[in-house]
Amino acid sequence: MEITFLGTGVAIPQKNRVQSGVLVRLEEKPLLIDCGSGVLNRFPEAGVSHTDVDTVLLSHLHLDHVADLHPLIKANWLRGNTSMKIYGPEGTEEWFSKVIDAYEYLQEEVDVDIIELVPGKEFTPEGFDCEISCTAATHSVPTLAYRVTGEDGEFVYSADTEPSRDIMDLAAEADLLIHECSFPSGMKVTNHTTPSSLADILEEYTNEIGSICLTHFYPEMRGHEREAVHRLKGYFEGEIIIAEDLMKLEL
């Protein structure tokens, strides 16, 4: 299982970080988790064809996680691939339909299947040899954290969230937890995570998770990356990784 971070940033433009997107290769078949602005252009940089993607998991519907989804569908159509399955939280079908209704020519050409999920759902996407489960994240809109279990390993993607025991329970015994870390310690935030707030809950799970990779950085985090790692090392025994765009991890 190979994980490529296509985008590790947020809605605010930053050098070398586009918006959220993670590509998971499972036995050569790619699964895309989130598709924010800039993610589509990362495909050639990552050495992956966008036309290989026919399945997308959406954590939630904020623009920095979905802005390039319709452009991806159009790009695939222009290269002869017209089918797409999209899994997401409550409201995904209504949102998708409203956007694509503005592009009648595209609506008539593509076959998009929307599957809305509820926390606790377990499923296997068509064409994949893996199991996926989800739980609710703590964010300002309905948001799902995902656990992907394949033959070679398993990981959890927290999505945008405050630290959550539900997500930590989902990550128990996983090889990797990809967790957002939007702001540095000392900032008062809601709906997001800082190293301090993550450390407060992480100590209870230090022996249950293999490694942690931090992502979804606001500009305020620039220059605080080492500080974040140092803060968490006192509470977690595994490796702590700072995600960068186009970085690859193998499980």
Side-chain angles (χ1 to χ4, degrees):
M1 183 186 298
E2 183 182 75
I3 299 169
T4 302
F5 291 84
L6 298 179
T8 60
V10 295
I12 301 169
Q14 301 174 69
K15 185 178 180 180
N16 299 325
R17 292 193 192 277
V18 301
Q19 295 177 9
S20 294
V22 176
L23 189 71
V24 186
R25 188 170 289 279
L26 296 146
E27 295 185 353
E28 301 305 315
K29 186 172 176 62
L31 172 72
L32 181 62
I33 306 178
D34 284 342
C35 193
S37 178
V39 166
L40 182 57
N41 280 348
R42 287 293 195 215
F43 276 91
E45 296 176 281
V48 178
S49 174
H50 60 86
T51 57
D52 290 342
V53 175
D54 63 10
T55 305
V56 179
L57 304 182
L58 297 180
S59 63
H60 64 296
L61 303 177
H62 279 162
L63 273 174
D64 57 322
H65 292 256
V66 301
D68 265 7
L69 180 60
H70 289 79
L72 169 62
I73 291 169
K74 178 176 180 178
N76 283 2
W77 164 61
L78 290 171
R79 288 293 181 259
N81 288 16
T82 59
S83 297
M84 183 74 74
K85 286 189 179 295
I86 300 169
Y87 296 83
E90 177 185 358
T92 300
E93 184 168 10
E94 180 182 9
W95 163 79
F96 182 86
S97 297
K98 285 181 177 179
V99 176
I100 205 166
D101 279 351
Y103 304 95
E104 185 175 348
Y105 73 94
L106 186 60
Q107 186 179 19
E108 295 174 350
E109 298 290 343
V110 298
D111 179 20
V112 178
D113 187 15
I114 307 290
I115 303 99
E116 293 192 355
L117 305 170
V118 296
K121 178 68 175 178
E122 298 180 1
F123 62 100
T124 296
E126 183 179 339
F128 287 87
D129 186 16
C130 69
E131 294 181 359
I132 299 177
S133 55
C134 61
T135 194
T138 304
H139 199 44
S140 56
V141 296
T143 302
L144 297 174
Y146 291 102
R147 179 176 179 132
V148 179
T149 303
E151 289 187 0
D152 300 324
E154 49 197 346
F155 74 93
V156 166
Y157 174 78
S158 77
D160 288 13
T161 188
E162 296 178 18
S164 159
R165 281 184 171 77
D166 287 341
I167 293 175
M168 291 298 175
D169 288 342
L170 188 69
E173 305 302 323
D175 300 297
L176 174 69
L177 169 60
I178 301 170
H179 203 288
E180 77 121 283
C181 191
S182 295
F183 296 98
S185 296
M187 293 190 67
K188 290 186 177 182
V189 300
T190 57
N191 301 312
H192 288 293
T193 295
T194 68
S196 293
S197 62
L198 183 57
D200 288 342
I201 195 172
L202 190 58
E203 188 174 23
E204 302 174 32
Y205 297 85
T206 185
N207 296 317
E208 299 185 25
I209 301 168
S211 302
I212 292 178
C213 186
L214 303 178
T215 189
H216 198 265
F217 302 116
Y218 272 76
E220 287 85 347
M221 271 295 291
R222 189 172 296 276
H224 293 277
E225 295 89 351
R226 286 188 178 182
E227 174 188 312
V229 173
H230 180 74
R231 181 74 174 85
L232 294 177
K233 276 189 177 297
Y235 296 84
F236 183 71
E237 295 180 358
E239 184 180 11
I240 301 167
I241 304 163
I242 299 294
E244 301 288 348
D245 283 24
L246 301 176
M247 185 179 80
K248 296 180 186 292
L249 298 176
E250 290 193 10
L251 301 183

